[in-house]
Amino acid sequence: MRKTFDHYQAVIKRLPLTESYDKKQLLINDFLVDREGKLEIYYAPHNEYINGEAKVMIVGITPGFQQMNAAMVAAKKGLTLGETQEEIL
C-alpha cells in the first residue's frame, strides 16, 4: 500500500521551519519510499490532492529534488500555520 501525507506528516513536523532544505535533511530513511540498486525514491507531498472537477489531467510528471524541496517547505509552513491537509496538498 502506498503511504500518503498522513504517514509522513509527523516527520515533516520535525523539520525546521525554513525557506529551503538541503539533501541531508530530506533524503533520509524516514522519507525513503523504495530502493532498487542505486535508484532511490523519496516521498514528497506532491500530487495527492485530486480535483474532481478538473478538465485537464497531466500524467507522468516525476518531481526532482527542487520540487520535493518546495513541496516540503510548503507542507511544513502549512502544518505550522494549522492549515488543513487539503489546503496543504
Side-chain angles (χ1 to χ4, degrees):
M1 183 168 93
R2 187 182 96 133
K3 295 177 182 170
T4 61
F5 185 76
D6 288 329
H7 176 81
Y8 294 102
Q9 69 177 311
V11 181
I12 296 170
K13 285 180 181 179
R14 291 195 309 258
L15 290 170
L17 185 59
T18 184
E19 292 299 316
S20 183
Y21 298 107
D22 60 36
K23 290 183 178 183
K24 289 181 184 178
Q25 292 171 296
L26 297 183
L27 301 184
I28 59 175
N29 282 332
D30 287 335
F31 293 129
L32 183 64
V33 173
D34 199 8
R35 177 185 289 138
E36 185 173 324
K38 293 183 179 182
L39 180 64
E40 297 176 333
I41 301 169
Y42 291 87
Y43 171 78
H46 188 273
N47 292 335
E48 286 188 53
Y49 174 76
I50 298 173
N51 180 349
E53 297 183 25
K55 304 288 184 210
V56 176
M57 181 187 305
I58 300 173
V59 179
I61 293 177
T62 303
F65 182 77
Q66 289 180 342
Q67 292 81 11
M68 177 191 191
N69 185 31
M72 289 293 196
V73 167
K76 173 62 180 182
K77 284 181 184 177
L79 288 168
T80 301
L81 294 173
E83 293 178 354
T84 67
Q85 183 172 323
E86 184 176 64
E87 290 171 320
I88 292 167
L89 296 174

